[in-house]
Amino acid sequence: MTRDDKVLILILSGKSDANISFADLRSLLIRLGFSERIRSSHHIFTKDGVEEILNLQPKVGKAKPYQVKQVRNVISKYRLGDSDG
């Protein structure tokens, strides 16, 4: 099981939204096929076939809990964790 797999399980469980590393979340989104654009501290993720645009900012090395919830909702809605999206 890779680190991205562990992060995906942690995000989908919804039990640790405040303890997700921003670097781990970013790595997972890139592995799931999202493109990243950076504007100042904003990391903007888009993916063909996904309506939502994810705009994430790190906070002292961690992802913000409400943004982890947004990512979880997108992953669930589009079933992106299933065989790498």
Side-chain angles (χ1 to χ4, degrees), residues 51-64:
E51 268 183 53
E52 294 84 355
I53 295 170
L54 298 169
N55 184 353
L56 311 178
Q57 303 99 351
K59 182 177 182 180
V60 193
K62 300 281 186 187
K64 295 179 180 179

Side-chain angles (χ1 to χ4, degrees), residues 15-75:
K15 295 180 182 176
S16 257
D17 289 356
N19 293 316
I20 304 291
S21 157
F22 183 82
D24 289 344
L25 183 60
R26 180 183 172 274
S27 173
L28 174 66
L29 289 172
I30 290 170
R31 192 197 83 190
L32 291 174
F34 282 82
S35 298
E36 178 184 31
R37 183 171 55 98
I38 301 171
R39 304 270 300 176
S40 184
S41 66
H42 295 254
H43 294 250
I44 302 159
F45 294 91
T46 58
K47 178 178 170 77
D48 288 339
V50 174
E51 268 183 53
E52 294 84 355
I53 295 170
L54 298 169
N55 184 353
L56 311 178
Q57 303 99 351
K59 182 177 182 180
V60 193
K62 300 281 186 187
K64 295 179 180 179
Y66 79 92
Q67 293 174 343
V68 173
K69 183 177 179 183
Q70 290 173 344
V71 169
R72 178 174 45 255
N73 291 340
V74 168
I75 289 172

